[in-house]
Amino acid sequence: MHTILLTTLNARYAHTALGLRYLYANLHELQSEAKIIEFTMNEQIQSIAEDLLKHSPRIIGIGVYIWNAAQSAELIQTLKKVSPQTIIVLGGPEAGYLPHRVDFSKADYIISGEGEVAFYELCKKIFANDLPKEKFIKASLPDLKAISLPYSAFNDEDVAHRYIYVEASRGCPFECEFCLSSIDEKVRNFPLDELLEEFETLWQRGARSFKFIDRTFNLNMTFANRILDFFLSKEPPYFAHFEVIPDHFPDVLKAKIAQFPAGSLQLEIGIQTLDPIIAKGINRPLKVEKIFDNLRFLENETSAHMHLDLIVGLPGESIEGFGRNLDTLVSLTHSEIQIGILKNLSGTTLSRHDKAHGMIYSDTPPYDILQNNLLSFSDIQKMKRFARFWDIFYNSGSFTKAVPLLWSNGSVFEGFYAFSEWIYAQTLSTWKISLDRQITLIHTYLCELHETEIVEEALIEDLSARPEKTIPFFLRQSTQEKKTKDTNTVTPKRQAKRI
């Protein structure tokens, strides 16, 4: 039996909890007493509690995040009701910062900050029956050169079927007010030689998908170049994901990125806003021209897949301002553009804008904005639907030829906004819209804007590019009727010779 259990509720099975593996790797002599058991957030809470308690643990450490906060609170209450003697320790960003807007009061201890050392020390005290009096434990920043790396804690099933999360650094030099990473302004790096040895071991075990969680991967060129060289020395296929600063791409970095084959490199680029005034208001540095130059380079001279982020609801930014940002990004790149709704996370300084801008947020996860002085509650609701439909029709890549017809005569934002409003009026839903239904919807809408032939040619080209090449009957029938019509109107060759 294991007396220490480390657990969390992941958003889906393919995800793995890197934080739990750090805790496990740094338990030293207690590691033999510990076990990692992960669940997904759609599992039954009482079944999760049963699975945990069958090990008769003395300590259960739970990683709490914004996506699993409510379920974690329910799990804590269930565990404490049926096994009150089990000591529950919480960690993770949702538990570690105040104020708590989800009830974690039943937990015995909460560790705030990076918990590798603090959790080990707490477990030792619990086993020695020297229980700390303070429930909330503020962990000091560990020396990244002294803690044990967690990558051997990924098992063979993880390597074969799940995402392998890795990191080369912690912290962020910027002070963006909506982000928890800004709390630790100093960027600290892991020992690079040791890190690359761990990556090599993962590679030899069969890992081919590496997702870096560093907030500023391209800040330190020495680290970035050596890590990119690690992948460039390997034989494809492989996949590496990095979050990068949009305005910092020195020539040496550009040269390396350009060498990656298609499908092997993904860059997550936090744009959030392109308005310098709005950016300054939230302490976000913004070098617009450099960002534009770098996006053009990545779009036109590399095979990197880009994932760009924009936020709705920033203090002082109107819907029209957001729309200009979206129009600009679409003009620069065909990459995925993730539209997020502003969230007010505990631990950030975003609340200082509440009075001046009338910022009102939900008190339940994910603590997203409900309204402000420029965006009504109805506006925010419409933009949430806009973001969902944008994912379905634009980011999915299913309609690369058809979707641009929505704005062929004007603003991307205005064209798609009208489409979004129309779709919702037809479906009254943003979920469980099948591909066939999507095709019918966009076909019906576009045929009011363009000639039917233009619309159907675009849709058929899109659908023919899909691996399954499934084209709905009404489009196949329309294509066949066009071919028949064209055949009937062609002048016979023999007659053409007489003319």
Side-chain angles (χ1 to χ4, degrees), residues 187-318:
V187 176
R188 298 166 295 135
N189 299 310
F190 284 90
L192 187 54
D193 290 337
E194 183 181 349
L195 190 68
L196 291 174
E197 288 177 8
E198 293 284 343
F199 291 173
E200 179 63 31
T201 300
L202 283 170
W203 183 276
Q204 295 301 327
R205 292 177 60 197
R208 293 296 183 270
S209 178
F210 294 74
K211 299 197 73 171
F212 284 75
I213 64 172
D214 306 54
R215 292 300 185 183
T216 52
F217 174 77
N218 58 331
L219 182 68
N220 185 315
M221 283 299 98
T222 299
F223 268 64
N225 284 322
R226 285 193 62 189
I227 290 171
L228 293 178
D229 284 340
F230 170 85
F231 290 103
L232 288 172
S233 70
K234 302 300 184 183
E235 188 70 25
Y238 56 80
F239 175 79
H241 169 104
F242 302 101
E243 186 170 341
V244 295
I245 307 166
D247 57 13
H248 188 63
F249 282 83
D251 289 342
V252 64
L253 184 62
K254 289 182 177 180
K256 290 188 187 299
I257 290 174
Q259 295 177 49
F260 278 81
S264 64
L265 182 64
Q266 177 167 290
L267 302 178
E268 183 173 347
I269 305 175
I271 303 296
Q272 319 311 0
T273 182
L274 291 170
D275 187 322
I277 296 175
I278 302 302
K280 184 177 180 180
I282 55 172
N283 292 333
R284 182 173 181 79
L286 190 63
K287 301 174 183 176
V288 175
E289 290 307 318
K290 281 192 175 183
I291 292 173
F292 289 174
D293 288 344
N294 291 333
L295 291 181
R296 292 187 188 101
F297 165 78
L298 293 169
E299 175 73 16
N300 299 316
E301 300 183 46
T302 80
S303 298
H305 174 76
M306 286 187 284
H307 173 119
L308 309 175
D309 295 319
L310 280 179
I311 293 180
V312 174
L314 290 172
E317 187 157 78
S318 64

Side-chain angles (χ1 to χ4, degrees), residues 18 22 97 113-114 116 141-142 144 147 166-176 179-190 212-220 223 243-245 284:
L18 183 59
Y22 269 110
Y97 296 101
E114 299 171 23
E116 290 91 350
L141 290 178
L144 298 189
I147 65 174
V166 297
E167 62 177 345
S169 64
R170 289 181 182 174
C172 181
F174 306 117
E175 300 178 5
C176 308
C179 180
L180 284 172
S181 296
S182 64
I183 293 173
D184 181 11
E185 297 173 22
K186 182 181 178 182
V187 176
R188 298 166 295 135
N189 299 310
F190 284 90
F212 284 75
I213 64 172
D214 306 54
R215 292 300 185 183
T216 52
F217 174 77
N218 58 331
L219 182 68
N220 185 315
F223 268 64
E243 186 170 341
V244 295
I245 307 166
R284 182 173 181 79

Side-chain angles (χ1 to χ4, degrees), residues 131-156:
L131 301 182
K133 295 180 180 179
E134 294 295 326
K135 178 175 182 175
F136 200 84
I137 300 170
K138 177 64 176 175
S140 57
L141 290 178
D143 180 359
L144 298 189
K145 296 179 176 61
I147 65 174
S148 299
L149 295 177
Y151 302 109
S152 62
F154 286 108
N155 61 33
D156 291 343

